[in-house]
Amino acid sequence: MIDPVVQALIDALRGLPGVGPKSAQRMAYHLLQHDRGAAVRLSQSLLQAVDEIGHCERCHTFSRDRVCATCLDPARDPRLLCVVETPADQGALERSGSFRGLYFVLAGAVSPLDGIGVRDIGVGPLLTRASDGVVEEVVLATNFTADGEVTAHILTEQLRQRGLKVTRLARGVPVGSELEYVDLGTIAHALMDRR
Amino acid sequence: MIDPVVQALIDALRGLPGVGPKSAQRMAYHLLQHDRGAAVRLSQSLLQAVDEIGHCERCHTFSRDRVCATCLDPARDPRLLCVVETPADQGALERSGSFRGLYFVLAGAVSPLDGIGVRDIGVGPLLTRASDGVVEEVVLATNFTADGEVTAHILTEQLRQRGLKVTRLARGVPVGSELEYVDLGTIAHALMDRR
């Protein structure tokens, strides 16, 4: 008894990550019942973003321009290249305010179980980018998950073959945490990498 | 450092119920990185739904036509009118397959704490609809929450003044539940209303 147009909206909302059938129905009904303005705004923002936002041709982050502002910033050190899985990870590093080099954004991490290989995440373009003769050190900032670690491992081998210095973000005890509640793997790493 | 167009999309996604700043960013990045087709489909579905879906002028449920198919169905008993808070609640009743009367969909429930009164949820149109001379019994199927109960209480008074028979969905033990785990209020109601 749900109108096909409403059902189409519910189905489209399920395309959002983390939204199941119940949430999608709740969202659709909420928008139609209480906030049609928000629905129109969301529709316009989606179209505008899809139309205007592409990928920077140097670092592959989201950008409206051919080359993004970060890549064009002359104050950044072009000898340092930080590799992240997503623009969100790049944002987290930028907010820390402690990296002044350039970035390269992969399209996620390799995931053998999901059939996502090095080709799918853009390792080729990264190797080309890192071999420009200016980059000296590549900082691997993929996630510390199984997929992220595998990706870092693969990248380390391929980048070292090209004579580049490859480093990885330090593993250790998170700032503000009590040792009693830190997991054993983290403590073991923090002990090994003590300085 | 987030592009204003991407930020606008993130803000628009926060207009969806249950979506906070982190989820909104994750949704926006996912759509732009992995599923631009889903973004376009969602944009179109939103516009189409806002354009085409209005409210049935008799029962106020979502409808593309002036009067919805349920209200026009000659097989339904026009002497029975079931009052629900939302089209989703109406859907739940319909799926149970045990009501063959007509519906009236309020715009939610009264909520004194949020400043939502009888005027805001369309009690006036309900009273007009129920006083058409055909309706004999009004079944109150507002939720069994504090707001839903208050709404049912107000409606009972106003509908009885107009000489209508007013009933409420039965309170009791849910099908399939073990008494040991049913809350005491429900057991008390089930005892009182035993038959």
Side-chain angles (χ1 to χ4, degrees):
Chain A
M1 67 155 271
I2 295 180
D3 187 283
V5 171
V6 179
Q7 189 60 51
L9 174 57
I10 294 173
D11 293 341
L13 284 163
R14 289 195 59 188
L16 296 170
V19 176
K22 277 266 173 191
S23 315
Q25 180 177 318
R26 203 170 126 246
M27 287 172 173
Y29 283 5
H30 170 84
L31 290 174
L32 288 173
Q33 187 88 295
H34 300 292
D35 208 349
R36 284 167 180 247
V40 173
R41 275 195 303 283
L42 177 54
S43 171
Q44 289 164 344
S45 301
L46 283 162
L47 267 201
Q48 193 186 2
V50 168
D51 276 353
E52 297 185 11
I53 301 294
H55 293 275
C56 166
E57 63 180 32
R58 291 192 72 198
C59 75
H60 290 206
T61 197
F62 294 136
S63 171
R64 263 192 291 185
D65 308 307
R66 230 158 43 83
V67 178
C68 72
T70 310
C71 284
L72 291 174
D73 186 349
R76 288 185 169 260
D77 186 346
R79 292 168 302 177
L80 271 175
L81 187 70
C82 179
V83 178
V84 292
E85 290 180 22
T86 64
D89 297 338
Q90 181 188 10
L93 284 163
E94 278 296 285
R95 281 194 298 280
S96 81
S98 40
F99 183 70
R100 295 302 303 164
L102 296 173
Y103 289 94
F104 189 91
V105 181
L106 297 170
V110 297
S111 177
L113 287 178
D114 299 325
I116 298 170
V118 287
R119 241 164 239 235
D120 305 304
I121 63 167
V123 169
L126 165 62
L127 296 176
T128 313
R129 169 76 184 82
S131 313
D132 67 349
V134 181
V135 173
E136 293 170 7
E137 177 181 345
V138 178
V139 183
L140 297 179
T142 54
N143 287 321
F144 287 80
T145 56
D147 288 348
E149 295 280 19
V150 170
T151 308
H153 185 76
I154 295 168
L155 294 179
T156 303
E157 287 193 347
Q158 306 218 2
L159 291 162
R160 283 212 176 122
Q161 279 174 10
R162 281 160 177 78
L164 291 155
K165 182 178 169 192
V166 181
T167 54
R168 180 91 167 103
L169 288 193
R171 288 178 190 76
V173 180
V175 173
S177 57
E178 297 178 60
L179 281 183
E180 187 179 351
Y181 301 106
V182 173
D183 70 290
L184 301 183
T186 299
I187 290 187
H189 272 297
L191 267 172
M192 269 194 294
D193 297 348
R194 68 186 180 278
R195 30 171 291 177
Chain B
M1 67 156 270
I2 295 179
D3 188 284
V5 171
V6 179
Q7 187 62 54
L9 174 57
I10 294 172
D11 293 343
L13 285 163
R14 290 195 57 190
L16 296 170
V19 176
K22 278 267 175 192
S23 315
Q25 180 178 319
R26 203 170 126 247
M27 287 172 174
Y29 283 6
H30 171 84
L31 290 175
L32 289 173
Q33 187 87 295
H34 301 290
D35 209 349
R36 286 170 179 244
V40 172
R41 275 196 302 282
L42 177 54
S43 172
Q44 289 164 345
S45 301
L46 284 163
L47 268 200
Q48 193 186 2
V50 168
D51 277 353
E52 297 185 10
I53 302 294
H55 293 275
C56 166
E57 63 180 34
R58 291 191 73 196
C59 75
H60 290 205
T61 197
F62 294 136
S63 171
R64 264 193 289 186
D65 308 306
R66 231 157 42 82
V67 178
C68 72
T70 310
C71 283
L72 291 174
D73 186 348
R76 287 184 169 262
D77 185 346
R79 294 167 300 177
L80 272 175
L81 187 69
C82 179
V83 178
V84 291
E85 290 180 23
T86 65
D89 297 338
Q90 182 189 7
L93 284 163
E94 278 296 286
R95 280 194 298 281
S96 83
S98 41
F99 183 70
R100 294 303 303 166
L102 297 172
Y103 288 95
F104 189 92
V105 180
L106 297 170
V110 297
S111 178
L113 288 177
D114 299 325
I116 298 170
V118 285
R119 242 166 239 234
D120 305 304
I121 63 167
V123 170
L126 165 61
L127 296 177
T128 313
R129 169 74 184 84
S131 312
D132 66 349
V134 180
V135 173
E136 292 171 8
E137 177 182 346
V138 178
V139 184
L140 298 178
T142 55
N143 288 322
F144 287 78
T145 57
D147 288 349
E149 295 279 18
V150 171
T151 308
H153 186 76
I154 295 168
L155 293 179
T156 304
E157 287 192 348
Q158 305 218 3
L159 290 163
R160 284 212 174 123
Q161 279 173 12
R162 280 161 177 79
L164 290 155
K165 181 178 171 193
V166 181
T167 54
R168 179 94 169 101
L169 288 193
R171 286 177 190 80
V173 180
V175 173
S177 57
E178 297 178 60
L179 281 183
E180 187 179 351
Y181 301 106
V182 172
D183 70 291
L184 300 184
T186 298
I187 290 187
H189 271 297
L191 267 172
M192 268 192 296
D193 297 349
R194 68 186 181 277
R195 32 171 287 180

